[in-house]
Amino acid sequence: MANYYLGIFLLTAALPAVAQPVTHAAPADTLPATHFFRIDLPDSLSPSPTLSGTFRVQNQEQPARPFLTVQDQLRTVAGVQVTPYDGSPGSGRAVRIRGASLALGQAQPLYVIDGLPALNDELTVGQAPGVSAPLAPFESSSGSSSSAATIAEQHAEAGANPLQLLPPESIESVEVLAGPAAVARYGPLGANGVISIRTRRGQGGRPLRVRYAAYAGVQQMRQRYDLLPASEYAALVNEAALRYNSPAPYLSTNLGTGTDWQSETYRVAGLQQHQVSLDGGRANTTYLLSADYRQQSGVLRGTDLTRLGLRLALDQRVGHQLRLHGTAAMGQTDQRLPYTQGTRGSTFAALLAPPTQSVRTDQGGYSGYGSFTGQYGIPYNFANPLAINDYTYRSPRTRRLLAQLAADYEPLPHLTVQAAANFQRTLLDAESSAPPFYTNQGPATSQVYATQIYHTSQWAAQLAVRYQRQLGARHEVGAEVDYQYQAADLVSRTDYYFSNQPTPGPGANYSTGFYQLGPGETRLHRPWASLHYTFDSTLTVQAGLSYGHYRGSDATEYYPNAQLSWQARPGRAGLRLWLGAARTGVPQLGYGQFGPAQILGGSYPNYRYQLPLHNDQAEAGVHFGPRSGHFTGQFVAYQRTSYHALISNAVAIPDYANGGPVTVFDEATIRNRGLELTLTAHWRRGRLQGATSLAASYNHNRLREDSPTNTSNTPPSLGPVYDNQPTGAFYGFQQDGLNADGTLRFRTQSSGGYAFLTQTVIGSGIPAQLVSLSQQLRRGPLALDAQMDGMFGYQVLNYQRDFLDTPTGYSNNATTVRDRWTPTHQDTSIPGAGYAGNFNATNGPAVTDRLLENGSNVRLSSLTLTYRLRQTATQDLSLWIGGQNLLVLTGYRGYDPNVSSGGPAPALAGRDYGAVPVPRTWLLGVRASI
């Protein structure tokens, strides 16, 4: 199936080849040619050419595909994977560039805004400082035990995606940096790649210009689970009752379809966004003032987002040598997020609620909320998903301020001095609400059971001196010295207040608690120096060195880099070759929020601790075709190796904790090898113009645990999952048919006369192949833009299947249980009715190959048709209609195969645990300027 989808891409990409190439000068509205990375820093990641939008990628106009976040639009770059955490409004994205450079910790790329790091405080466990959303009170007896939480709960976002501060209309350009020469300057921060964003500024030499951009539309579920109707569910419950020698609960199974809980829980939701900006200036002064407003209702009932933003940019030239820049952006995002991540979240409830139950009782209240006695005397949980949406929710408010000042000074013709500083303030204030008591009559109201604050202040400063000079006709030399300083102060606190008493009364038992992170601080000194020499405009040699030192740390890490590149003389065929290597690191040297972790292989008093993580990478590349040509391409091979990457597992340690499972840590080496290909064609056939770009990549990722020095009370390793296996591998049990009584049977291994269940690596959640195809067409005032993306060679752990494919009789099931075991139908892998399943009330299902599905997919990510009504020197007006996530070709049974319930950590990639569906979106928009 994966090869079938890949064939669609290759066939579609070949279609423009039959078109007639342009053999004459193109008119003024010809699609812009694609430019690649700076000639002095060639890189493998190259953009796809697009039209009709309004921001630039790698110095070329690209479409601001309006509703897609900046992160989503990076899928058109070879080697970039973008995976949403779920489909809730304001949800973040896991972005991986060239696979995974580590297993645990800060796996996201570094975001650089207008030259300085900013907006990197994603409010998840995987990113610093490690803040997470409060657990729901009914997921554990104490309400605060993370050990009882599901993967999705432990990695739920506490606040909105920080990139919400910069909507696409506010962005001037985006660069994705991954090659050694491109990321070298970021030394201790560049191992995961860098996304550099330049924001819009005013344009001088013209009068005031007013711009307005807006869109409105609807969102809907793209796919549903196929569930049993009421009549089949009642028959299954009766069959399960017989297993326990109980009378049939349903005297009649002729109940029709019953309640469609998915239709009741999800909705067609509206959204709108407006942005207005004023910009202009004179010869020496420019300004831009913009404001934006966004309102979005999620497809899950009860989810909402409202965002307000304001941005100001000022630029002043003083004489011919000094330029001053100032920018300030502020935004506030309010969300309402029903509880979805646990075993009793609304997304699970929409699948498991019995179709024989009605949404409301005869008295008008919600039916079913809390624990009940099952149809044949066995306790089970029927949680009404609509009641959960109404009564159990979080309401975070995220406020961000980003301000920056910069100056460029040219004291000499060949010398430039740049100074910049920014300040970022993030304030998160959130309340979590739930019913005070759970009764069979359902809740009457909610109370706040947890409050959360996260406040951080961050500073960054830079001073850079650059010198570049031509010596004679054939020699050019350059040097750069760059010093950056970063600081962060933070405090985070979560307070709990809830009742453990199931019914109200004078004996009600209340408890309180809190956990706090900080006050804490981080200080990083990061200088960088580079030299380069170019001979005859063809051969360039570049070398540099950076180091990183955190205040309070004993370690100072050095990061060298070098690159050799050659290009054909100007005017000849645009051929460029390069070979480069560099060492980089990750924030905090790869340590967690409490410093280096204690790892295997030591004993008191000589414990072993995690060493600073570093990453060695090398690449070789070729670019062919002139920049202004009609066909260009780029091919790159790379290798990236991470050392001292932290890994963990729960293992049994003799003579410790009675030999029970204990979470321990060790170090590992992670190696990524890959190939990247980008092809771009500009063509014309009659009045029709087009631009086609294909970006494809292959990544081979392997993780191997470092060999510890073993002692008497440590295991030799953390398990086979870390023995030359992919990062993000699934380690679980394998089904071995069914037992004679219709219960599940798993593979076992015998030892010492005993048989025990065995685990093995059963798949990986990180795609091996990524493909993106962008197609733009234009004829007169009409323009069409389409983006298709594909992911291949990975699996998704669909936790819902352990409930849906196991006919317990406690809850509803998928239609797959029609093929369940019966005494007369034993040739099946679905257990018989009444089987208890592999899950428990807190931690959910065990990891087995029953839950594993092929995640390969091809997606129509964006499709936009634009009609330009008017274009003059002073006026521009266009209307557009489009959609996102319109079509997904996949064999995955869940809502969407591209989700990450485990957050950004590569070790938890490919997990789908109660994720809100990523919706299909239809939009109608307008752009105008006067």
Side-chain angles (χ1 to χ4, degrees):
M1 185 65 70
N3 292 333
Y4 169 74
Y5 294 145
L6 186 59
I8 294 176
F9 267 95
L10 297 179
L11 176 61
T12 310
L15 292 178
V18 303
Q20 178 182 349
V22 183
T23 57
H24 52 79
D29 63 349
T30 298
L31 300 178
T34 298
H35 286 212
F36 290 84
F37 278 78
R38 297 182 300 272
I39 191 169
D40 58 326
L41 297 178
D43 199 307
S44 65
L45 300 187
S46 52
S48 59
T50 51
L51 61 86
S52 79
T54 58
F55 74 82
R56 299 167 68 83
V57 176
Q58 319 299 58
N59 291 326
Q60 287 300 304
E61 289 292 334
Q62 305 294 328
R65 291 167 178 134
F67 187 66
L68 295 182
T69 67
V70 174
Q71 295 154 313
D72 288 317
Q73 301 190 59
L74 299 179
R75 293 191 180 105
T76 60
V77 179
V80 178
Q81 176 197 349
V82 182
T83 298
Y85 299 142
D86 72 355
S88 299
S91 179
R93 299 323 192 234
V95 179
R96 298 187 181 98
I97 301 175
R98 292 184 172 178
S101 62
L102 69 167
L104 301 173
Q106 301 189 56
Q108 296 278 48
L110 176 71
Y111 289 91
V112 175
I113 312 299
D114 293 326
L116 289 173
L119 302 182
N120 291 291
D121 59 337
E122 182 181 277
L123 303 178
T124 64
V125 171
Q127 292 289 94
V131 62
S132 61
L135 304 182
F138 43 77
E139 280 302 316
S140 66
S141 60
S142 66
S144 60
S145 173
S146 61
S147 64
T150 67
I151 286 176
E153 284 182 292
Q154 295 179 49
H155 296 273
E157 294 174 280
N161 184 350
L163 270 297
Q164 295 273 335
L165 187 66
L166 297 177
E169 298 286 352
S170 297
I171 294 175
E172 177 69 23
S173 66
V174 180
E175 284 187 291
V176 179
L177 311 177
V183 301
R185 68 171 59 241
Y186 302 100
L189 305 176
N192 298 319
V194 179
I195 298 174
S196 179
I197 299 174
R198 292 283 177 179
T199 57
R200 285 193 179 280
R201 315 197 71 82
Q203 298 184 20
R206 69 181 191 187
L208 172 68
R209 179 177 290 269
V210 180
R211 302 175 188 266
Y212 175 69
Y215 62 79
V218 295
Q219 294 183 294
Q220 60 182 177
M221 288 182 66
R222 186 192 55 79
Q223 182 167 310
R224 293 161 45 103
Y225 281 92
D226 293 326
L227 304 178
L228 294 180
S231 57
E232 292 187 56
Y233 170 76
L236 186 149
V237 171
N238 287 347
E239 186 179 332
L242 294 178
R243 188 183 189 95
Y244 295 92
N245 298 317
S246 298
Y250 292 98
L251 299 179
S252 172
T253 60
N254 188 20
L255 302 176
T257 301
T259 301
D260 185 342
W261 287 103
Q262 291 183 96
S263 294
E264 297 289 345
T265 306
Y266 299 99
R267 63 186 176 184
V268 176
L271 68 150
Q272 59 177 312
Q273 177 159 316
H274 305 267
Q275 183 174 46
V276 61
S277 65
L278 311 174
D279 76 278
R282 299 181 180 179
N284 294 326
T285 305
T286 64
Y287 58 88
L288 182 147
L289 177 64
S290 67
D292 64 272
Y293 167 77
R294 176 179 172 188
Q295 195 284 323
Q296 178 185 355
S297 298
V299 292
L300 178 67
R301 294 184 186 274
T303 56
D304 290 288
L305 177 145
T306 302
R307 204 198 89 81
L308 295 169
L310 186 65
R311 183 173 172 273
L312 174 66
L314 296 173
D315 299 277
Q316 177 68 49
R317 177 182 287 273
V318 182
H320 297 288
Q321 297 175 304
L322 180 63
R323 288 172 294 173
L324 304 176
H325 315 281
T327 307
M330 60 189 71
Q332 175 176 299
T333 302
D334 292 298
Q335 297 168 279
R336 188 186 187 279
L337 303 172
Y339 176 67
T340 61
Q341 294 85 19
T343 54
R344 304 178 195 179
S346 63
T347 50
F348 261 98
L351 301 176
L352 305 182
T356 55
Q357 296 286 336
S358 60
V359 175
R360 294 185 179 273
T361 64
D362 294 338
Q363 291 73 33
Y366 284 121
S367 64
Y369 198 96
S371 297
F372 292 84
T373 299
Q375 301 290 352
Y376 35 89
I378 298 176
Y380 77 108
N381 290 301
F382 163 41
N384 188 319
L386 279 76
I388 297 174
N389 291 344
D390 276 358
Y391 297 121
T392 309
Y393 60 91
R394 296 182 62 247
S395 51
R397 167 172 287 182
T398 309
R399 290 170 288 173
R400 283 188 168 91
L401 168 68
L402 177 61
Q404 180 165 323
L405 295 174
D408 300 332
Y409 180 57
E410 299 180 8
L412 298 173
H414 308 290
L415 184 67
T416 301
V417 179
Q418 294 181 320
N422 72 5
F423 171 75
Q424 179 182 335
R425 178 72 167 163
T426 301
L427 304 175
L428 168 69
D429 298 278
E431 292 183 343
S432 298
S433 300
F437 304 101
Y438 302 92
T439 68
N440 291 2
Q441 287 73 42
T445 185
S446 293
Q447 73 173 16
V448 175
Y449 73 87
T451 60
Q452 183 177 31
I453 63 167
Y454 165 80
H455 296 170
T456 182
S457 298
Q458 301 180 58
W459 302 265
Q462 176 191 39
L463 179 62
V465 180
R466 298 179 176 90
Y467 177 82
Q468 185 164 331
R469 185 166 185 175
Q470 186 78 26
L471 301 177
R474 309 184 70 180
H475 306 278
E476 181 182 298
V477 295
E480 179 177 353
V481 178
D482 186 330
Y483 172 80
Q484 290 198 17
Y485 173 77
Q486 293 173 235
D489 294 327
L490 65 96
V491 61
S492 175
R493 179 183 172 103
T494 301
D495 291 271
Y496 282 98
Y497 174 83
F498 51 84
S499 170
N500 293 330
Q501 189 73 14
T503 57
N509 179 25
Y510 295 93
S511 60
T512 62
F514 75 92
Y515 62 87
Q516 181 167 322
L517 175 65
E521 64 176 33
T522 302
R523 304 290 186 267
L524 171 64
H525 301 269
R526 183 167 60 86
W528 180 68
S530 176
L531 298 172
H532 79 264
Y533 167 75
T534 301
F535 174 73
D536 205 21
S537 299
T538 58
L539 183 66
T540 300
V541 180
Q542 181 265 335
L545 178 66
S546 174
Y547 81 78
H549 177 79
Y550 288 90
R551 194 174 76 183
S553 172
D554 296 332
T556 297
E557 295 295 309
Y558 292 87
Y559 305 94
N561 71 91
Q563 180 164 286
L564 176 66
S565 60
W566 176 88
Q567 66 177 11
R569 292 180 180 274
R572 299 184 181 180
L575 181 64
R576 287 182 287 152
L577 305 172
W578 69 90
L579 177 66
R583 171 169 290 188
T584 54
V586 295
Q588 298 292 340
L589 305 177
Y591 300 156
Q593 63 192 46
F594 302 110
Q598 182 181 335
I599 62 176
L600 287 176
S603 59
Y604 179 83
N606 299 314
Y607 291 124
R608 294 180 66 226
Y609 289 92
Q610 175 191 9
L611 295 175
L613 182 146
H614 68 264
N615 179 296
D616 292 339
Q617 56 180 309
E619 74 168 21
V622 57
H623 168 80
F624 50 90
R627 291 174 180 254
S628 59
H630 308 307
F631 179 79
T632 59
Q634 192 160 271
F635 180 77
V636 170
Y638 67 86
Q639 176 172 297
R640 185 176 64 178
T641 305
S642 299
Y643 299 93
H644 309 301
L646 192 66
I647 57 176
S648 70
N649 202 358
V651 299
I653 298 181
D655 304 323
Y656 183 80
N658 297 321
V662 176
T663 299
V664 295
F665 297 90
D666 202 357
E667 293 179 329
T669 299
I670 301 175
R671 178 173 287 111
N672 288 272
R673 294 172 177 169
L675 303 173
E676 294 168 345
L677 175 67
T678 301
L679 300 175
T680 302
H682 296 266
W683 49 272
R684 172 189 295 272
R685 187 157 191 168
R687 297 179 58 190
L688 180 65
Q689 303 173 63
T692 306
S693 179
L694 176 69
S697 64
Y698 168 78
N699 177 269
H700 182 268
N701 176 287
R702 287 296 180 268
L703 179 151
R704 185 185 294 276
E705 182 180 4
D706 298 338
S707 299
T709 303
N710 297 316
T711 61
S712 60
N713 66 336
T714 61
S717 71
L718 298 190
V721 70
Y722 298 123
D723 184 14
N724 200 33
Q725 297 293 338
T727 306
F730 301 121
Y731 188 59
F733 305 99
Q734 292 179 294
Q735 184 178 351
D736 187 23
L738 300 175
N739 295 309
D741 60 353
T743 58
L744 287 172
R745 182 175 67 238
F746 292 92
R747 291 185 181 178
T748 60
Q749 180 178 343
S750 298
S751 177
Y754 295 94
F756 56 92
L757 295 176
T758 60
Q759 290 179 280
T760 186
V761 174
I762 57 177
S764 172
I766 298 180
Q769 301 98 30
L770 301 171
V771 185
S772 181
L773 175 66
S774 296
Q775 177 67 68
Q776 295 79 46
L777 301 173
R778 175 175 291 172
R779 184 179 184 189
L782 281 175
L784 179 69
D785 169 63
Q787 174 185 331
M788 293 183 65
D789 303 305
M791 305 168 63
F792 310 95
Y794 77 108
Q795 291 77 40
V796 180
L797 203 62
N798 185 349
Y799 286 93
Q800 287 72 220
R801 287 188 57 179
D802 205 15
F803 297 88
L804 296 177
D805 293 351
T806 306
T808 63
Y810 301 156
S811 58
N812 200 13
N813 296 107
T815 54
T816 52
V817 301
R818 292 169 177 167
D819 189 40
R820 63 186 176 271
W821 180 94
T822 65
T824 59
H825 175 58
Q826 300 185 13
D827 185 18
T828 179
S829 61
I830 304 295
Y835 180 68
N838 306 311
F839 47 85
N840 55 62
T842 55
N843 293 324
V847 175
T848 75
D849 59 355
R850 296 185 67 231
L851 316 184
L852 210 60
E853 297 189 52
N854 183 0
S856 298
N857 66 88
V858 172
R859 183 184 311 268
L860 180 56
S861 299
S862 175
L863 182 66
T864 305
L865 179 65
T866 302
Y867 182 76
R868 176 164 275 163
L869 295 171
R870 182 178 178 84
Q871 184 181 27
T872 67
T874 59
Q875 300 177 0
D876 195 350
L877 176 62
S878 60
L879 299 176
W880 59 269
I881 185 172
Q884 278 84 42
N885 197 37
L886 297 179
L887 174 68
V888 180
L889 301 178
T890 181
Y892 185 65
R893 285 173 49 197
Y895 291 131
D896 200 298
N898 189 29
V899 295
S900 183
S901 297
L908 298 176
R911 313 286 177 123
D912 182 358
Y913 201 122
V916 175
V918 178
R920 176 187 288 130
T921 305
W922 300 96
L923 300 169
L924 177 65
V926 59
R927 295 189 184 96
S929 65
I930 57 175

